[in-house]
């Protein structure tokens, strides 16, 4: 704890100090990363809106040079089973003025250590064809992965999880931390298996996702009978009411144990949260997680080998408060912190001398 100063000492130190005059060495280190020289920052309401206020690099494709983490929008909701509108999710998250650049729990300023860019939205050949749109997502994100860039996506409905995993899990199956109200492991309905209720069944069957390294957190609602695949494939399922019973620390321990040391994907559906915290989504389910619980779980994943992630199902027209977009932007920032730490760890292992 810092030394407590008297009023006279406070006047002497802070009476003529600017906002960038910070004396605590740890806070000073953060301020240097955020401010640079002086105390000037761009106003959060100025400039073109981008994901997490990252530099806009719409011209980065197809080489994606000088980028470590790509933030991208996927404005697609052709796979929803109920209320449409998640196609407007990326725009709503971009319009959130103030998230980051510092995470006080993780003590992280990710943009100070990795090159982050908003690369725009996935270009679609057709706004009407779900299958071709999934092909477009896979092709675009595969370009990122091939360039050594970690993709963090904002959807869009959860059907985008399948093409994202086809890109990220192409070389080897990945584990997954999946925070959601629904397991999304149901089968084909009405002749379609690419809807937002079943991407992770198909990802397992396609050899992209390791079910024994997959944990699903926050599960609840009236569709439990559709998700037997989660159990028989070996996924770990934690229902929303169990999060309260187990406690956040134990849930984090379980998630870390399930994911292990291998490559891990993070998928966050905003309907994991109770509608009191995130009403702007297509399939709300009461009895969900609080925003504090969700952020606590994510922050507990630091150090895992995160190779990609997404935040999905933001449908802003159902939320006049903008709370859902606010939460989604904060979740995206937390996943960015996890990805930046994973990149740092991977880089340190590459430069370690052989033993």
């Amino acid at each position: 704890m810092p030394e407590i100063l008297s009023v006279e000492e406070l006047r002497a130190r802070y009476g003529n100090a600017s906002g960038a005059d910070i004396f605590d060495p740890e806070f000073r280190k953060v301020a240097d990363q955020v401010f640079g020289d002086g105390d000037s920052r761009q106003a959060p309401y100025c400039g073109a809106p981008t994901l997490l206020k990252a530099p806009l690099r719409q011209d980065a494709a197809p080489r994606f040079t000088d980028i470590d983490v790509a933030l991208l929008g996927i404005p697609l909701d052709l796979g929803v089973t109920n209320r449409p509108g998640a196609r407007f999710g990326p725009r709503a998250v971009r319009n959130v003025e103030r998230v980051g650049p510092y995470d006080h729990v993780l003590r992280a300023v990710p943009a100070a250590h990795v090159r982050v860019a908003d690369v725009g939205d996935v270009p679609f050949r057709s706004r009407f064809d779900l299958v071709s749109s999934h092909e477009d997502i896979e092709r675009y994100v595969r370009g990122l992965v091939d360039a050594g860039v970690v993709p963090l996506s904002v959807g869009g409905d959860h059907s985008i999880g399948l093409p994202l995993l086809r890109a990220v899990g192409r070389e080897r199956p990945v584990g997954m931390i999946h925070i959601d109200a629904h397991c999304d492991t149901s089968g084909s309905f009405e002749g379609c298996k690419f809807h937002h209720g079943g991407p992770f069944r198909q990802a397992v069957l396609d050899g992209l996702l390791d079910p024994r390294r997959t944990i699903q957190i926050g599960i609840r609602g009236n569709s439990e009978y559709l998700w037997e695949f989660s159990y028989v494939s070996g996924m770990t399922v934690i229902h929303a009411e169990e999060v309260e019973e187990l406690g956040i620390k134990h849930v984090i321990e379980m998630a870390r144990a399930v994911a292990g040391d291998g490559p891990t994907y993070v998928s966050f559906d905003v309907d994991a949260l109770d509608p009191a915290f995130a009403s702007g989504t297509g399939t709300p389910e009461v009895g969900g997680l609080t925003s504090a619980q969700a952020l606590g779980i994510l922050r507990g994943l630091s150090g895992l080998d995160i190779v990609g992630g997404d935040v999905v199902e933001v449908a802003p027209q159902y939320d006049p408060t903008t709370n859902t977009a606010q939460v989604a932007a904060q979740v995206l920032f937390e996943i960015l912190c996890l990805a930046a730490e994973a990149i740092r760890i991977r880089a340190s292992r590459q430069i370690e001398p052989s033993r």
Side-chain angles (χ1 to χ4, degrees):
M1 293 294 291
E3 177 188 1
I4 303 300
L5 303 181
S6 67
V7 174
E8 289 77 14
E9 291 170 321
L10 290 171
R11 287 171 180 155
R13 179 178 295 183
Y14 296 104
N16 295 311
S18 78
D21 291 329
I22 297 173
F23 302 94
D24 178 276
E26 289 301 315
F27 289 158
R28 175 75 257 167
K29 188 186 304 180
V30 174
D32 288 342
Q33 293 171 346
V34 172
F35 286 110
D37 295 328
D39 62 356
S40 178
R41 289 184 293 172
Q42 183 188 41
Y45 47 82
C46 291
T50 65
L51 295 170
L52 304 183
K53 301 293 285 186
L56 184 60
R57 290 282 310 278
Q58 286 182 294
D59 61 339
R63 295 183 179 275
F64 300 107
T65 56
D66 302 320
I67 301 174
D68 299 310
V69 179
L71 311 177
L72 61 146
I74 307 182
L76 173 77
D77 61 6
L78 296 176
V80 298
T81 55
N82 187 27
R83 302 191 300 188
R87 67 182 63 184
F88 299 109
R91 181 171 294 179
V93 176
R94 285 191 174 99
N95 282 331
V96 174
E97 298 94 348
R98 198 170 167 274
V99 176
Y102 177 58
D103 188 299
H104 76 285
V105 176
L106 298 175
R107 297 180 178 269
V109 184
H113 303 290
V114 296
R115 298 167 295 180
V116 185
D118 182 339
V119 297
D121 292 341
V122 169
F124 292 116
R125 290 169 291 170
S126 169
R127 76 185 77 175
F128 307 111
D129 189 330
L130 177 60
V131 173
S132 76
S133 295
H134 279 194
E135 292 170 352
D136 293 337
I137 295 167
E138 180 185 355
R139 183 183 306 109
Y140 188 85
V141 177
R142 181 176 290 185
L144 289 166
V145 173
D146 289 345
V149 178
V150 175
L152 301 184
S153 308
V154 177
D157 71 57
H158 221 158
S159 74
I160 69 174
L162 179 57
L164 287 171
L165 287 171
R166 281 178 172 164
V168 175
R170 179 181 48 159
E171 298 296 332
R172 72 287 182 252
V174 298
M176 183 171 68
I177 312 290
H178 175 206
I179 302 177
D180 199 330
H182 314 102
C183 286
D184 293 348
T185 52
S186 58
S188 173
F189 290 107
E190 300 166 22
C192 178
K193 60 183 178 181
F194 301 116
H195 54 80
H196 72 165
F200 303 128
R201 176 190 290 206
Q202 196 62 43
V204 170
L205 297 178
D206 288 351
L208 311 167
L209 179 65
D210 183 346
R212 295 173 188 254
R213 292 186 53 238
T214 296
I215 185 168
Q216 303 183 297
I217 303 169
I219 306 304
R220 62 193 187 279
N222 60 10
S223 299
E224 175 84 11
Y225 64 95
L226 298 175
W227 303 325
E228 67 178 53
F229 185 89
S230 289
Y231 299 99
V232 300
S233 66
M235 295 181 184
T236 300
V237 178
I238 302 179
H239 294 88
E241 65 274 13
E242 294 175 307
V243 172
E244 186 69 27
E245 296 166 2
L246 294 169
I248 296 298
K249 288 186 177 179
H250 187 57
V251 172
I252 291 169
E253 290 172 359
M254 293 176 68
R256 297 183 70 90
V258 169
D261 297 329
T264 301
Y265 190 87
V266 178
S267 187
F268 190 100
D269 187 326
V270 293
D271 69 26
L273 304 178
D274 190 274
F277 299 91
S279 62
T281 190
T283 317
E285 299 279 3
V286 298
L289 305 181
T290 69
S291 54
Q293 287 175 321
L295 295 181
I297 293 169
L298 288 168
R299 288 164 176 162
L301 306 178
S302 182
L304 295 183
D305 188 17
I306 305 302
V307 294
D310 61 58
V311 183
V312 300
E313 299 284 358
V314 177
Q317 64 272 39
Y318 305 119
D319 183 0
T321 71
T322 76
N323 284 351
T324 308
Q326 295 282 343
V327 169
Q330 186 64 46
V331 166
L332 180 65
F333 181 68
E334 301 299 335
I335 300 175
L336 171 60
C337 290
L338 301 179
E341 177 66 6
I343 290 169
R344 185 194 66 78
I345 292 172
R346 289 194 290 267
S348 68
R349 287 173 178 166
Q350 289 176 358
I351 64 175
E352 285 179 357
S354 58
R355 297 176 184 270

